[in-house]
Amino acid sequence: MPKLTLIPPHDHLLHRHHLLLLFLLISATNAAPASAATTNHKRFKEAPQFYNSPTCPIIDTDDMCSDQAVHVAMTLDSAYLRGSMAAILSILQHTSCPQNILFHFIASATANHDHLHRRISRSFPSQLFKIYLYDSKAASGHISTSIRSALDCPLNYARNYLPNLLPHCLGRVIYLDSDLILVDDIAKLAATPLGDNSVLAAPEYCNANFTSYFTPTFWSSPSLSLTFSGRRRKACYFNTGVMVIDLQRWRAGDYTRKIVEWMELQKRMRIYELGSLPPFLLVFAGNIAPVDHRWNQHGLGGDNYRGLCRDLHPGPASLLHWSGKGKPWVRLDANRPCPLDALWAPYDLLQTTSALES
């Protein structure tokens, strides 16, 4: 397995995580699978309280659009709540100014809004956050079936509508998936320069086979195959689970409409297979600002079919992302953890059965 290089001062985590992995693998042979009752009635521990360092700016806690804050947008639902809790904890634990992190959660309009609010408030009682309701009916009509049913969930498409869902006074936001953890200060990611024209920034992977994200029907069309010509840079694959977005530029360019137009075309003729990612590539690939790969060590959940274990990519890691079918909490509960799942486990706030009984 390639060496995991975490950002100082977090190098000591590697040794701790190796010890934790040994514990997990030993205990997995004796532990019983999580019961359906435990799964359906999760209870989460209260996270430690984190405080700003003396050099942090003071923000107005009533201003959810403060330009002194780091704004983080995530989707929120019961299925991925355990992952979301771990992601939130990791963000707060590794930043110098945790009280200046403002979370903007997007939840389905049909979800139990009060229930989700209570869950977050109990685990993070001092944290500033707001939940915005997303009516997925409009998006549902544009969604085509993909290679994995989980990718067809309407909430996966909420990122397409972020500028409409979040306050118009909000300028820059970091969008994050729920199946990741940070081991570095998110303020560094928030400071990513977007240049004069880019709407978003994300790590790009130009070694990936870009043509494979679209069907032969797409590439055989004389007009469609020219979609990426004339872009500022080479069109490359990027993962939409970690993005720095300028919402004002997005609104000015009417990019939600452009994404939806591609989704509508997909309903008429099959031009891609992989859920909500291809429309983002069609609209933005070749025009985004680059981000260092350390900010998305992605693919730790394996492929979209079997979710097999994977190693880290070579190089340092600031963010670990379990994109793919395999999720660390599912594999841990099934007593079949992958080695890298031990890096996620310390951020898991789920209360164990023994803790609940005591």
Side-chain angles (χ1 to χ4, degrees):
M1 183 173 72
K3 180 182 179 182
L4 172 64
T5 308
L6 296 177
I7 310 304
H10 309 298
D11 291 336
H12 68 283
L13 292 175
L14 183 58
H15 177 67
R16 184 183 69 171
H17 289 145
H18 282 166
L19 293 176
L20 175 64
L21 174 59
L22 180 62
F23 167 77
L24 289 170
L25 293 178
I26 293 173
S27 61
T29 61
N30 299 317
S35 67
T38 302
T39 302
N40 294 331
H41 299 89
K42 296 183 180 73
R43 291 184 62 180
F44 296 94
K45 297 175 287 188
E46 182 176 332
Q49 176 67 51
F50 299 100
Y51 298 95
N52 283 355
S53 68
T55 58
C56 296
I58 299 173
I59 67 169
D60 181 357
T61 56
D62 293 324
D63 182 7
M64 287 300 290
C65 290
S66 171
D67 57 8
Q68 295 291 319
V70 173
H71 297 273
V72 179
M74 302 173 66
T75 57
L76 198 63
D77 69 345
S78 296
Y80 279 76
L81 185 59
R82 190 170 168 189
S84 301
M85 291 287 200
I88 297 166
L89 176 58
S90 73
I91 292 169
L92 298 176
Q93 182 171 323
H94 293 288
T95 185
S96 297
C97 303
Q99 293 171 294
N100 290 6
I101 307 294
L102 302 186
F103 287 95
H104 304 263
F105 297 117
I106 312 299
S108 171
T110 59
N112 188 331
H113 172 272
D114 292 335
H115 174 74
L116 292 173
H117 195 283
R118 285 194 302 271
R119 290 294 184 93
I120 301 296
S121 296
R122 287 172 180 171
S123 290
F124 304 97
S126 301
Q127 187 57 47
L128 298 173
F129 72 92
K130 186 173 181 180
I131 298 178
Y132 306 83
L133 297 186
Y134 162 60
D135 186 353
S136 60
K137 291 179 181 178
S140 297
H142 303 305
I143 296 174
S144 302
T145 56
S146 63
I147 60 175
R148 181 160 60 93
S149 59
L151 299 176
D152 301 335
C153 172
L155 198 58
N156 284 342
Y157 291 81
R159 72 193 87 187
N160 299 358
Y161 304 92
L162 277 182
N164 303 330
L165 296 168
L166 300 180
H168 277 237
C169 56
L170 192 57
R172 176 177 290 214
V173 68
I174 300 174
Y175 176 84
L176 297 176
D177 277 350
S178 298
D179 53 356
L180 53 77
I181 58 169
L182 277 78
V183 291
D184 198 0
D185 195 334
I186 195 171
K188 299 176 185 177
L189 179 60
T192 300
L194 291 176
D196 295 331
N197 299 299
S198 293
V199 174
L200 62 86
E204 294 177 292
Y205 304 90
C206 293
N207 292 330
N209 182 4
F210 189 76
T211 59
S212 67
Y213 290 95
F214 304 97
T215 64
T217 300
F218 175 87
W219 293 114
S220 63
S221 167
S223 58
L224 295 178
S225 62
L226 295 175
T227 298
F228 301 103
S229 63
R231 303 278 172 109
R232 293 196 299 273
R233 301 166 59 241
K234 177 184 176 182
C236 296
Y237 159 75
F238 64 93
N239 182 279
T240 53
V242 180
M243 298 184 289
V244 182
I245 303 173
D246 186 315
L247 297 175
Q248 307 290 4
R249 290 181 182 178
W250 183 306
R251 295 184 187 107
D254 199 12
Y255 287 101
T256 292
R257 177 185 58 80
K258 295 174 182 178
I259 290 173
V260 169
E261 287 176 351
W262 283 111
M263 293 172 66
E264 290 174 342
L265 178 61
Q266 165 76 351
K267 295 288 285 187
R268 299 195 298 271
M269 55 188 295
R270 194 82 172 175
I271 59 173
Y272 56 80
E273 302 289 351
L274 193 61
S276 62
L277 169 65
F280 262 81
L281 298 180
L282 289 161
V283 172
F284 294 112
N287 288 332
I288 72 172
V291 176
D292 192 284
H293 287 179
R294 74 198 317 154
W295 287 105
N296 197 350
Q297 280 269 353
H298 69 294
L300 304 186
D303 60 25
N304 281 301
Y305 297 98
R306 292 180 293 172
L308 299 178
C309 298
R310 284 184 176 175
D311 289 340
L312 286 168
H313 305 289
S318 292
L319 184 151
L320 307 177
H321 187 186
W322 278 260
S323 57
K325 185 177 181 179
K327 303 307 174 188
W329 58 91
V330 175
R331 295 193 293 217
L332 288 166
D333 283 352
N335 301 324
R336 294 193 298 270
C338 291
L340 291 178
D341 295 344
L343 302 179
W344 180 90
Y347 302 96
D348 187 9
L349 287 175
L350 184 69
Q351 221 158 7
T352 62
T353 303
S354 58
L356 289 173
E357 289 173 350
S358 63

